[in-house]
Amino acid sequence: MNRDELLELLEAVSKGELKPDDAAGKLSMSWDGFNGDMGRGLRLGFDEVIFGRGKTKEQIEQIAGEYLSNELNFFCTGLDDQKYAYLSGIYPQFEYNPLAGTMRYMKKEPVKLNGTAAVITAGTSDMKVALEAAETLEILGIEHEIYSDIGVAGLHRFVNRAEQIRAKDVIIVVAGMEGALPSVVGGSFPQPVIAVPSSVGYGVSKGGFTALLGMLSSCAPGVTVVNIDNGYGAAVAAFRILNGR
Amino acid sequence: MNRDELLELLEAVSKGELKPDDAAGKLSMSWDGFNGDMGRGLRLGFDEVIFGRGKTKEQIEQIAGEYLSNELNFFCTGLDDQKYAYLSGIYPQFEYNPLAGTMRYMKKEPVKLNGTAAVITAGTSDMKVALEAAETLEILGIEHEIYSDIGVAGLHRFVNRAEQIRAKDVIIVVAGMEGALPSVVGGSFPQPVIAVPSSVGYGVSKGGFTALLGMLSSCAPGVTVVNIDNGYGAAVAAFRILNGR
Amino acid sequence: MNRDELLELLEAVSKGELKPDDAAGKLSMSWDGFNGDMGRGLRLGFDEVIFGRGKTKEQIEQIAGEYLSNELNFFCTGLDDQKYAYLSGIYPQFEYNPLAGTMRYMKKEPVKLNGTAAVITAGTSDMKVALEAAETLEILGIEHEIYSDIGVAGLHRFVNRAEQIRAKDVIIVVAGMEGALPSVVGGSFPQPVIAVPSSVGYGVSKGGFTALLGMLSSCAPGVTVVNIDNGYGAAVAAFRILNGR
Amino acid sequence: MNRDELLELLEAVSKGELKPDDAAGKLSMSWDGFNGDMGRGLRLGFDEVIFGRGKTKEQIEQIAGEYLSNELNFFCTGLDDQKYAYLSGIYPQFEYNPLAGTMRYMKKEPVKLNGTAAVITAGTSDMKVALEAAETLEILGIEHEIYSDIGVAGLHRFVNRAEQIRAKDVIIVVAGMEGALPSVVGGSFPQPVIAVPSSVGYGVSKGGFTALLGMLSSCAPGVTVVNIDNGYGAAVAAFRILNGR
Amino acid sequence: MNRDELLELLEAVSKGELKPDDAAGKLSMSWDGFNGDMGRGLRLGFDEVIFGRGKTKEQIEQIAGEYLSNELNFFCTGLDDQKYAYLSGIYPQFEYNPLAGTMRYMKKEPVKLNGTAAVITAGTSDMKVALEAAETLEILGIEHEIYSDIGVAGLHRFVNRAEQIRAKDVIIVVAGMEGALPSVVGGSFPQPVIAVPSSVGYGVSKGGFTALLGMLSSCAPGVTVVNIDNGYGAAVAAFRILNGR
Amino acid sequence: MNRDELLELLEAVSKGELKPDDAAGKLSMSWDGFNGDMGRGLRLGFDEVIFGRGKTKEQIEQIAGEYLSNELNFFCTGLDDQKYAYLSGIYPQFEYNPLAGTMRYMKKEPVKLNGTAAVITAGTSDMKVALEAAETLEILGIEHEIYSDIGVAGLHRFVNRAEQIRAKDVIIVVAGMEGALPSVVGGSFPQPVIAVPSSVGYGVSKGGFTALLGMLSSCAPGVTVVNIDNGYGAAVAAFRILNGR
Amino acid sequence: MNRDELLELLEAVSKGELKPDDAAGKLSMSWDGFNGDMGRGLRLGFDEVIFGRGKTKEQIEQIAGEYLSNELNFFCTGLDDQKYAYLSGIYPQFEYNPLAGTMRYMKKEPVKLNGTAAVITAGTSDMKVALEAAETLEILGIEHEIYSDIGVAGLHRFVNRAEQIRAKDVIIVVAGMEGALPSVVGGSFPQPVIAVPSSVGYGVSKGGFTALLGMLSSCAPGVTVVNIDNGYGAAVAAFRILNGR
Amino acid sequence: MNRDELLELLEAVSKGELKPDDAAGKLSMSWDGFNGDMGRGLRLGFDEVIFGRGKTKEQIEQIAGEYLSNELNFFCTGLDDQKYAYLSGIYPQFEYNPLAGTMRYMKKEPVKLNGTAAVITAGTSDMKVALEAAETLEILGIEHEIYSDIGVAGLHRFVNRAEQIRAKDVIIVVAGMEGALPSVVGGSFPQPVIAVPSSVGYGVSKGGFTALLGMLSSCAPGVTVVNIDNGYGAAVAAFRILNGR
């Protein structure tokens, strides 16, 4: 909820179109163990997102229900197959992206931002994280395109996409294994580059730490990094950059 | 060297104002072991910077001399006291910031960017890294201000600076120990937040890994992170963000 | 069993109200592989607690049965869903808290201590650990209240609870991710602060090590830390503090 | 500065005994890079302490001078031999404890607390950390005694001291190597136990991580832990516990 | 197969009591992927043991069958529940210890060694490893006794067993968590002490690394250590010590 | 596809034997999330291999189908039992090696290289990785032999195979646990030695890091190492060495 | 001081040959920070040894002086060049081994044990640790021989020494880098094998962790391990083994 | 010493041109702590090299003197400035490369191999390791060229050198920071690629582990890796590859 939406709501209350009780439901959301940060939209420009990984499916069900009955936009990341199966049975009206592990309910369309984003992946296995980033960009109102499987072991694939990538305002790069793609991207393009290590791999790449360390050590200056598999965080970082324009 | 400067130089050659040999010196810089990326300015909008940590003082001396004789802007980071003492004796005309460990020679003033940056530190011990960031912002043409020693153990200090920080376009946060300040900053302000872990500390904070991991795990969404002590990289990330405006 | 309870038992034996054999059962509990520390209550003021994580459900069943038949207080932590299902079928008279993973049988109510405790969580996902702490405080006779989901990404939520927290005598803080909440709590309040890292998280937060390291590095002085997910240990630390008053 | 001292100061101003300018010096202390938390005494009951490890000797000199000229209590930890030599030459009126690496200037004696502390070390090599804790207890007004070199390889040494230790209200245990002493102490005594890992050691004990992990894993319940070598933090934790009585 | 058994076998061949083909089966055991070290008994005094953890149940089945048909002693460690269920169905004549995860077939009783061993555990959860050690001692002909759940959090339990432990020739100590028991044992008794870290635990104790590091750092001199959960290795180390007497 | 095969294909097009559309299918393979590096054969001399670990079984099914319908050689590694069961049902015409976790479809036999390879394993548990290497050598046209279970705990087993191993041109050594076999091999034979750490093990060997570090530290000079469990990579390294002869 | 020596001393007191005051000096040794375990000889059969690494040279000087004036055997390990220079100037009558970093004063010759030890090193760089072990064996009364630089990269060097090593009762093996030598030794000989990782190395071998992990993972059963560089501990472990014979 | 040289020496002895005593000096080199592997040349085709890092300057001096007086080729790596200064004063006839940290004395020129090597560095700071590799290639008789400072942050620099690199038979790639260069090299060229991580860096790159992990995870198949900073080992690996041709 941003400032305009807040004013609209308060005016509806003042005109008697909305009962104070119902307005309260939209403005505060707190119960046993959950304490929603409803002011985040006002403060940061984007609403709180439900992080599904650490929550039980029943906890998510309850939160989603409250959002639904208050007609608020809802977005949840980090769903695994089991939680997805449970929740999609209860809320069939929600939009799901099982590959991304996300679920959303957009009561209001997001305001479109000026500026576009590229989401690049080094390999096919990085698609899950890239899709989480793309879904988040979607609800944040950022136009974007995915360029997948263009890692440095076959540089020509990257070169083929160079012109399209250069035309974007922010670049999100998802890579596992040695995490070298952000260095090549950051050395080739002048835009902000947000690197996301992905946890797919085996041996020393397992869990994404090698990719994370490689991205932090990037010889291309000014590349920034977010947590392993954090496609959501990369998209919000892009929002912070583009929102100010 | 950006595109405008390149054209100017080539026109000077075409008019006979500059000899081809001298132009070549300005455009290529390569000798035994060193291979300058002279096209970086054209590609990324900012020139290559000499990273002093891994080089001997003699290597830096040679590189600095070449820049000087070709009348190019020069900026070197990562100087320790010993290299500083040696180099400042040879090139007294350079500007030094011993606290930041930097040395510069600005033949041409940088183009001023639209947009400003805040550099925040959690403690007094983080100043070295903050100053490296500030020096880099300076040569990149970004107006900035430092707000130091306002860590989360005394939140009122942070609150006192809130209005000034909110007015900046990009926020760089330097913190050691548990690295909690970026979470508070990222939860309070909507701008891009670039977190820099600093290596000062002891016990489990030694070397900056605790701060790094804490920043990557930040509960404030959209905070991005650079390598430990990498004030330079944070400033270049700010440049990538502001340059596009 | 504390000193008063021991005297009462021995007097019952001396009066012939309790057979020596039965008294022995209450005072020693040892069989193949298990060797209960029955003197802990006398020595430390609190009885031994059964730690369920490393034991098979059959081992716990046997131990619980012995406590039951000797009419001793029994408390077991670290139950997972499978062990819970098995044990709750056998001992329906026990009280279970499946969210906390605990099971108890209080033959005698605990002596109430002077002093109260706050149990704070940074996020909804930390509730399991907070509930283990709360259940333990309960059987140790310590009055307490839980304040959940008030992490540093939305400081206003913390500020709203400040007066209530300030009124408690000991503060237990459970947090995952970057573990920053204890620094803010320890910098704001003068009481003893016991920080508990929680293992919920992904990427670099996975397993709770980032939160642990962050809490140990806290810039707020005098914050102490227990093992990851150790809600039980935090409650006992609170008991050690309040018991002396 | 606690509440009583603040009132005293403000009354002196109101009576014209203290000029507003001079009072301001005592109440705010902030300059380039340093931003003292002068309200800590009011908030937490103990004043800010200068942490010398991350600061240059010139930075400490400046801070110490300001405290001196404003007649405020001053305490600095984490001095190494070189900083000690420099500072003791400038401020001979300060009290130094070179083994503890501390320096203090007590304009006003601290209020004595109710309650006493034991500081125990496993070996001779842990004395530096124990002395830092003892010096801090001193300026916090806590009576204490050190029992050194009574580690678990010769349990009789520990047993010989048991009665004296049992008589204290809080126990601080410093140990390196495997860090086993807090387990024995915590299993033998009912008081609050604050464990401090020390960094002395070689091979796998080097840096204190083995002792830290051992203390966090202690089989004695309710033992709490602070950062490696953090004698200061352990003493402040003791203050938080005793201050409330 | 030791030297005496080898001679006996060869004499049986020379007298025509054993066919060369059958003798060959007993002396070499090698097929696709498996290459038994049949000379180990001659070289080291104890036969090769099958390590079940890294092998499929079919591989173990095949190896066991070969031993059975050649009437050789067979001992396999590292069985999990699934492999146990499969193999116990095929070879009901084998002796199983499901808690230890071992399976054996003793065609010939082992020669009894001079000397006895104590197997001590810190907690109930360490029993699996202790039982693997005990089963191995059994097939190596070493008399032994288990003293379980006598960890340092309740030192009196250890003291109660001291006389019995002192009477043994070698002491094997299994402990998880902080691994402190070997320090107390090694500081109290003069015999060889073999410490085995156990992997049971949570948080920083998970996987047994804290116990391992603690044991290697032991302040009691002359304590030696084997790999985490390696009850088998500890028993063989005891054999190497006692065999020489 | 190597240069000769490319020419052949283009000639077929020029003669009208192959339709341009069909040729395009063989030369480019790219769809949603997958972007095959079809030029690898031309560039490096060996075709791209599908890495099955990070892909869903549906993704592998789609890729395999495309290769099949374009009559291209196909090789996939990293199949687990579940993916194997699914895929072998769909493509019964493919050759599977379930122990190796590989699946292949060789439309054209590989060109035989000059030179042979030995694949050595330290234990039975290393066979899976060795078989992945062997399968890869097979499709790369390299003759090879496996020598298994000849680790350093029984050196005579290694000595028995010495003459056969010495006759090979490249040696691949797979070992888990302490990873000592490559040191012995590298100290005994003059050929290129490629060491592959295997992840089988427990305690400190778990995951293969101990073997990896041991191999990198080998006291035998000139031993090179690939990622844990990377039998495929070791075989390609052998190809790079032999292809140039 | 063992039991015989204690009786002798007490008899001297009873006969008036030794004053009670002087006897007390020999039996207790305790002052500020130091608390000698004088009963260790009685309990474990060997006297306490002074560990020089964590102590200042002044602390060692004081301890040595007390031993000297009480005519007790003294042995100190872990001296570096600087401490050595200082102490050898003060106590020229002590025996020093600068390569081993030890200093000793043997008022009474140690009782010779039955049994001998081999000390083996993999490389020249491991000599320092081997010499610390040898010096300790010396004062413990164990006959021994050093076989150096016979690592696995040139197995023939090991084979040349095999007969001599086989004749010893206990084998201590010191190795850095990959730490493979104990596996070969443990696979070839039946005696107790005590492995000591040495910290010499670079890259992944630096600090001795690779050697430590390799030794713990040894494929030769029954090899035991002590801390990195702990030659002293290995010698005491040998004493525990041989003392019982 | 290879087979031809051995025969030549033995013939000189048989003809009386060389005294048996002098021949023995050339064939065995063993004294206190040092045990030269003189048969390495016969076995592996290259002589033993002295590794200077773990040895004192006096130990190196003695070894060098023996080689000199026996007129054998000598090569020593891992010299630091201090050892270099000492040794170059004693043996001025030796050739030194202070940047590489090597010293050599070539009594006989090495046999030239068929095949050439490229040594590539990502940055100027990697030159020390590259020079150690180059010096070793030199004494092994391998022609080579260094291409320095062509890392992935400026890909055009790499592209400029592509044709020259492609013409070599083996490629050694030295890189620090994220270690991405071997992936690009291995994806572009078909030759054997030996990657060497360099330890230069700061923050997460410090010590070379990030580069090491990145290289092991390389998405370019068939890249092999040696220990951090091990230029010598990379050169020997190249020798093993080229020697067989």
Side-chain angles (χ1 to χ4, degrees), chain G residues 150-207:
Chain G
I150 58 172
V152 302
L155 272 181
H156 58 288
R157 300 181 297 188
F158 168 73
V159 171
N160 290 344
R161 298 299 200 170
E163 283 322 296
Q164 292 163 283
I165 295 168
R166 196 188 307 279
K168 298 292 184 298
D169 296 298
V170 177
I171 307 174
I172 292 171
V173 191
V174 185
M177 304 182 83
E178 81 273 57
L181 189 52
S183 292
V184 173
V185 170
S188 304
F189 303 123
Q191 298 98 310
V193 176
I194 303 159
V196 193
S198 96
S199 64
V200 172
Y202 68 100
V204 303
S205 326
K206 199 174 176 181

Side-chain angles (χ1 to χ4, degrees), chain D residues 1 9 25-27 29 38 66-74 105-108:
Chain D
M1 185 176 289
L9 181 149
K26 290 176 193 295
L27 288 173
M29 203 164 283
M38 306 314 288
E66 291 287 329
Y67 274 78
L68 187 64
S69 68
N70 281 297
E71 305 199 322
L72 293 167
N73 282 355
F74 175 85
Y105 173 75
M106 298 305 283
K107 186 66 192 174
K108 274 203 164 167

Side-chain angles (χ1 to χ4, degrees), chain H residues 124-173:
Chain H
T124 304
S125 312
D126 305 318
M127 279 303 284
K128 184 176 176 54
V129 178
L131 287 170
E132 182 183 296
E135 284 287 312
T136 308
L137 291 170
E138 190 73 26
I139 64 129
L140 292 171
I142 301 172
E143 207 175 302
H144 58 276
E145 203 149 345
I146 298 181
Y147 306 97
S148 69
D149 203 5
I150 58 173
V152 301
L155 272 181
H156 58 289
R157 299 180 298 186
F158 168 73
V159 172
N160 289 344
R161 297 299 199 171
E163 283 323 297
Q164 291 164 282
I165 296 168
R166 196 188 307 278
K168 299 292 184 298
D169 296 297
V170 177
I171 307 174
I172 292 171
V173 191

Side-chain angles (χ1 to χ4, degrees), chain A residues 151-155 158 177-180 183-184 186-188 202 204-205 209-210 212-221, chain H residues 151-155 158 177-180 183-184 186-188 202 204-205 209-210 212-221:
Chain A
V152 301
L155 271 181
F158 168 73
M177 302 182 85
E178 81 272 56
S183 292
V184 173
S188 304
Y202 69 101
V204 302
S205 327
F209 274 85
T210 292
L212 170 67
L213 296 174
M215 290 166 174
L216 287 165
S217 304
S218 177
C219 54
Chain H
V152 301
L155 272 181
F158 168 73
M177 303 182 83
E178 81 273 58
S183 293
V184 173
S188 305
Y202 69 100
V204 302
S205 326
F209 274 85
T210 292
L212 171 68
L213 296 173
M215 290 166 175
L216 287 166
S217 304
S218 177
C219 54

Side-chain angles (χ1 to χ4, degrees), chain D residues 205-239:
Chain D
S205 326
K206 198 174 177 180
F209 274 86
T210 293
L212 171 67
L213 296 174
M215 290 167 173
L216 287 165
S217 304
S218 177
C219 54
V223 169
T224 59
V225 187
V226 297
N227 196 3
I228 296 163
D229 289 342
N230 192 3
Y232 162 70
V236 175
F239 178 88

Side-chain angles (χ1 to χ4, degrees), chain A residues 18 28 34 37 42 48 53 71 74 78 80 88 90-91 105 135 140 162 183 199 206 218 224 238:
Chain A
L18 186 69
S28 84
F34 181 77
D37 182 1
L42 289 167
E48 193 172 27
R53 249 177 278 217
E71 304 198 324
F74 175 85
D80 55 28
S88 61
I90 296 171
Y91 300 118
Y105 173 75
E135 283 287 310
L140 291 172
S183 292
S199 64
K206 198 174 177 181
S218 177
T224 60

